[in-house]
Amino acid sequence: MSDPRIDEARRLHKRGELPQAIAAYRAVLASDPGVADVWHLKAAAEHQAGQLADAAASVGRALESGGEKAPYLLLDGVIRRELGELDAAERRFARVVQLRPDLAAGHFELGRVRMDQGRPQDAVPNFQAAVRLDARHLAAWNNLGVALQSLDRLDDAVRAFNYALNIDPAYALAHFNLARIHKLRGDANRGLEHALLAVRGDPRHVESWLLIGDIHVQRRETDRALAAYASAVKADPANLKARLTLADAAAGAGGYAHALAEFRRIAAEFPAALRAELPANLLLPQVYESLDDLESVRRQYTEGLGRLEALADSFRFRNRDAALSDARWTNFYLAYQGKDDVEPQRRYGAFLRSVLQRAAPELYAPRTKRRAAGRIRVGFLSHFFFNCTAGRYFSAWATQLDRTRFETVVYYTNEWVADDTRAIAAAVDRFRHLPGRPLATLAQQVIADQLDILVYPELGMHPETFALASLRLAPVQCAGWGHPNTTGHPEIDWFVSCEAMEPPDAAAHYSERLALLPGLGTRYARPRTDSQRTRADFGLPDGRTLYLLPQSLFKIHPDNDELLARVLERDPAGIAVLFASNHANITNAFAARLAPVFERHGMDLHERTCFLGALAHHEYLRVNQLCDVMLDTMHWSGGNTSLDALAMGLPLVTLPGGLMRGRQSQAMLRIVGAQDLVASSVEEYLGIAQRLGGDAAERTRISGRIRDGLGNLFERDEPIRALEAFLERAAREP
């Protein structure tokens, strides 16, 4: 016989009046606490209302009263999954499948939790079982595609997504995931087409709007990207990710002041949200208006660190994954201020550890060394193992170690897979491609591999890897100099750098212990180009002396402005060749800072400079061949850019600074035997530049000397052998 009180509670529940329904279920249970189905209904209403702890307790009572029924176990598993209790959730869903192998929902949920655990290979059979039982299960087809994509089975993934679209041509999630695959494959047009179909099917699908914005960013269509991100915010104004992405994009496009104000508004609207407070307190511009502006911003940054330290105990997270996600931040632009950053980086590292250790204490547990004998297991975790600066520097670390002494594991977090990436994957013992995974999943994978040493080649360049470096994932953890600044993280034991690039007091600049390698510190392949393009092809003038200043504009400290103007003032035929930012606002801000400096020296900026756009690497190398002199920048010297210049025989003049990141070019010049291009003062720098710019025969003579010395610089094995000795020592020591 039906109970009218239960019927009324269910009517309230069906109408979405959740507080009233929960109260009605509670009233029924007060008089009859043994009705399992009512406990189950109450748990479902509490789950829908976001009351996860209450829901977990209620479904527990349902199981106690009614036994292991599939609906009870299914709901209990869903709740535990949302609470972050993935192992417990998996056990519930596995039991559902055991009890009811004909229930598609059980297989589907088991697949979902295994995806959350970073086990797509185990999830695929679950999703396949779900669609066999229910061929029109849209979410199962979609999740099958996501799992297959995670396994790099892209063609199979496309078939799964298309099957979902055969069922429902407007299904937004399938269009969104197809868009991601096409973007990954380099087909931005088809990616954009599917992403637009996704928002047509569901205009409130925030992730699709964000993907549209990302595609426009990739195509350097800044205004369209900002409009797409704004649409994401409009679709869900309370979506913190959308708000932050729009503000991030504004900052990236050069809108520092606007973005900082927006981050501060977001932080006020979302109190105790770490991901909002980080940029609200630590955001830095790419281009400073002046040296005074730089000093003012640095003071603000220090004050922001203090505010974060005061807030440290107030941050609250839904679960461990949310905490690690919110911690994705890097103080990338701090290094370009030309200062010793060991104190602010130490403070940030200690702050982040204090926040995350409360949310994920198990990820800070000490890691015991595996064994005293056998091959040393070394992991390399990077977002940049492709043909870019960090990839060119550090792929040899992973691929050239002696395989009889070292077992190599690479963790690659970037979606993009280039030919260089495939070469690395083929050369190491294990290659784990883990793009888009929750950071806790990444961390657990590294811990499970039981490394002896974990190496992060370029900490500071990507927010995910910088957050992971706060954790203790291996007994010994090292940073490379891919971003040549101390990490400040207490859990990073070593900073591996180049002896020839470091000053005598180098150890004082790092929170980590310092390990020094000879030469370039790596086996670096000599750059080559077969381009035959002319100056005219690049819009460069003939009959003028071309001074190449190839650094990204954010690397050019205001102290360089006067130096550049004085070089050109001494050479009336001189033209500075620079590279524009991808964002016009940044280029304009840099030009606005430089123009009055040129005017003070009687020169017009537009007449004495040429800004090139982005070039393919082989064409960029050709520009080096066509220029006459490279002007190295103070505080942040060339790294890859100096290697490219020297490989092309282009003389460069440098003035070393007091920190490693301002001393890379001087080390390279000494190695190739061109130490006479290393200045010890501004006046000497100007004299060398004038001598090189004004004497073609001198340039030819020095170019020949540089080329004769390139064998000492490129494709050397000594740095790798020294790295092996360091890794053995670090792994074996107590």
Side-chain angles (χ1 to χ4, degrees), residues 434-655:
L434 301 164
R437 300 297 193 278
L439 295 193
T441 300
L442 285 170
Q444 287 167 336
Q445 178 64 73
V446 176
I447 292 169
D449 284 336
Q450 293 184 294
L451 302 175
D452 295 305
I453 299 180
L454 174 60
V455 179
Y456 295 94
E458 73 293 311
L459 278 179
M461 287 183 62
H462 195 270
E464 287 190 355
T465 52
F466 201 62
L468 283 169
S470 171
L471 311 175
R472 175 56 68 177
L473 308 182
V476 180
Q477 303 192 145
C478 310
W481 76 93
H483 185 62
N485 197 14
T486 183
T487 70
H489 284 312
E491 303 299 332
I492 297 298
D493 307 300
W494 292 91
F495 194 98
V496 184
S497 185
C498 296
E499 185 172 16
M501 297 178 185
E502 290 285 359
D505 62 343
H509 304 152
Y510 296 94
S511 64
E512 309 85 0
R513 296 169 69 185
L514 188 59
L516 299 175
L517 303 179
L520 284 179
T522 188
R523 192 179 195 281
Y524 194 102
R526 181 174 173 177
R528 291 178 168 82
T529 182
D530 57 4
S531 174
Q532 298 298 313
R533 296 180 72 185
T534 66
R535 282 189 173 188
D537 292 328
F538 294 102
L540 299 172
D542 285 319
R544 306 293 292 270
T545 310
L546 299 186
Y547 295 89
L548 180 64
L549 195 74
Q551 302 295 352
S552 300
L553 299 183
F554 59 79
K555 295 182 178 180
I556 303 178
H557 190 283
D559 282 346
N560 290 283
D561 300 355
E562 182 76 14
L563 188 67
L564 175 59
R566 291 180 67 185
V567 168
L568 296 180
E569 183 181 35
R570 292 186 177 200
D571 184 356
I575 296 287
V577 178
L578 302 101
F579 284 84
S581 168
N582 293 335
H583 303 290
N585 287 342
I586 295 171
T587 305
N588 293 340
F590 177 79
R593 188 185 82 199
L594 201 57
V597 181
F598 273 49
E599 288 173 8
R600 287 199 300 271
H601 289 270
M603 298 181 295
D604 181 82
L605 178 71
H606 300 291
E607 292 177 357
R608 303 300 299 275
T609 60
C610 178
F611 283 84
L612 300 181
L615 297 171
H617 188 234
H618 70 285
E619 298 292 7
Y620 168 74
L621 293 172
R622 178 59 177 163
V623 167
N624 278 256
Q625 291 177 332
L626 295 170
C627 288
D628 298 300
V629 183
M630 174 179 157
L631 299 177
D632 202 21
T633 43
M634 295 189 295
H635 303 301
W636 191 285
S637 76
N640 253 48
T641 51
S642 295
L643 291 171
D644 287 338
L646 294 171
M648 297 301 106
L650 178 65
L652 68 93
V653 55
T654 188
L655 177 57

Side-chain angles (χ1 to χ4, degrees), residues 224-276:
R224 290 183 176 181
L226 290 169
Y229 295 143
S231 294
V233 172
K234 183 179 178 182
D236 184 1
N239 188 298
L240 179 59
K241 179 181 179 181
R243 293 279 300 277
L244 291 169
T245 301
L246 178 57
D248 278 333
Y256 166 71
H258 167 77
L260 182 59
E262 179 60 16
F263 281 128
R264 288 175 175 171
R265 279 193 291 271
I266 295 169
E269 293 176 32
F270 295 85
L274 176 63
R275 182 59 183 86

Side-chain angles (χ1 to χ4, degrees), residues 133-313:
L133 292 164
D134 181 359
R136 298 186 65 80
H137 196 313
L138 280 174
W141 281 112
N142 180 73
N143 284 28
L144 174 59
V146 171
L148 292 166
Q149 182 180 352
S150 299
L151 297 171
D152 208 25
R153 293 170 56 183
L154 298 188
D155 290 337
D156 291 337
V158 167
R159 280 190 284 273
F161 296 135
N162 280 329
Y163 199 102
L165 291 175
N166 287 336
I167 300 168
D168 180 0
Y171 186 41
L173 278 177
H175 280 301
F176 165 70
N177 284 308
L178 282 171
R180 291 177 61 216
I181 288 179
H182 291 309
K183 176 177 177 286
L184 181 62
R185 285 176 158 173
D187 191 344
N189 290 333
R190 289 191 71 188
L192 186 59
E193 176 187 341
H194 278 284
L196 289 169
L197 286 169
V199 295
R200 187 180 304 166
D202 181 3
R204 296 181 60 80
H205 193 251
V206 168
E207 291 294 336
S208 292
W209 282 117
L210 296 179
L211 180 60
I212 291 168
D214 292 346
I215 292 172
H216 286 307
V217 166
Q218 188 180 60
R219 292 161 64 160
R220 297 177 183 164
E221 297 168 347
T222 301
D223 291 343
R224 290 183 176 181
L226 290 169
Y229 295 143
S231 294
V233 172
K234 183 179 178 182
D236 184 1
N239 188 298
L240 179 59
K241 179 181 179 181
R243 293 279 300 277
L244 291 169
T245 301
L246 178 57
D248 278 333
Y256 166 71
H258 167 77
L260 182 59
E262 179 60 16
F263 281 128
R264 288 175 175 171
R265 279 193 291 271
I266 295 169
E269 293 176 32
F270 295 85
L274 176 63
R275 182 59 183 86
E277 289 288 357
L278 289 172
N281 288 284
L282 301 181
L283 187 70
L284 294 169
Q286 295 186 48
V287 172
Y288 296 98
E289 296 176 4
S290 64
L291 188 58
D292 287 344
D293 180 42
L294 186 154
E295 297 291 349
S296 173
V297 168
R298 191 170 179 90
R299 285 193 297 272
Q300 292 175 33
Y301 182 91
T302 303
E303 292 165 2
L305 267 177
R307 288 191 293 272
L308 286 172
E309 289 165 338
L311 287 170
D313 292 337

